[in-house]
Amino acid sequence: MTIIEEWTGRHAHALRTALRMTNESFAYQLNVAPRTVTKWRERPDMVPSKQIQQALDSALRQAPPDAQVRFAANLGLDEPQVVLDHDVLSQLNEALGDLARAVARLESAEPERSTAH
């Protein structure tokens, strides 16, 4: 996950965009006025208060992995490594094995041919 040492309007706008939220819904989530969110886009060098920075930290931490990737991309940062869920990978490998066995059975079975024309 990308860590922001000091949030600016540019960072906050990038997060809102990555989360695909409207100004109003993002403002509601952060408990700020919608006009504050608009100002971040208009004034990218603006540094929000410490309280708002903490709210932005929380919003980034709670963002889904795809939104975190979009956030890093919006800032022009290298893509962070995607955290792999080993349980999901294990289930996927098992499903692929089942599929391979099913295909092998289908290929080895002699298809019945109809003699009727």
Side-chain angles (χ1 to χ4, degrees):
M1 180 176 82
T2 303
I3 304 294
I4 303 300
E5 292 297 326
E6 181 176 67
W7 287 87
T8 64
R10 177 176 166 259
H11 296 113
H13 177 69
L15 179 58
R16 184 196 63 78
T17 304
L19 291 169
R20 297 180 175 160
M21 296 177 86
T22 64
N23 286 355
E24 292 77 15
S25 61
F26 194 52
Y28 180 80
Q29 178 180 343
L30 298 175
N31 198 28
V32 299
R35 180 70 185 135
T36 301
V37 176
T38 301
K39 284 182 182 180
W40 292 333
R41 184 183 63 239
E42 295 169 353
R43 297 174 47 200
D45 294 331
M46 170 184 193
V47 176
S49 70
K50 295 288 183 197
Q51 180 183 2
I52 295 174
Q53 290 204 30
Q54 290 172 348
L56 290 163
D57 285 339
S58 294
L60 177 57
R61 207 173 22 258
Q62 295 168 3
D66 60 324
Q68 291 182 15
V69 170
R70 285 192 300 270
F71 174 67
N74 288 348
L75 293 175
L77 305 174
D78 292 332
E79 279 191 25
Q81 285 187 328
V82 176
V83 178
L84 299 177
D85 184 329
H86 293 287
D87 291 335
V88 171
L89 286 176
S90 179
Q91 292 172 359
L92 180 58
N93 282 333
E94 186 176 327
L96 287 173
D98 291 345
L99 179 60
R101 286 187 289 280
V103 169
R105 279 195 305 271
L106 288 172
E107 288 176 343
S108 67
E110 189 66 34
E112 293 183 23
R113 302 210 181 236
S114 172
T115 55
H117 294 297

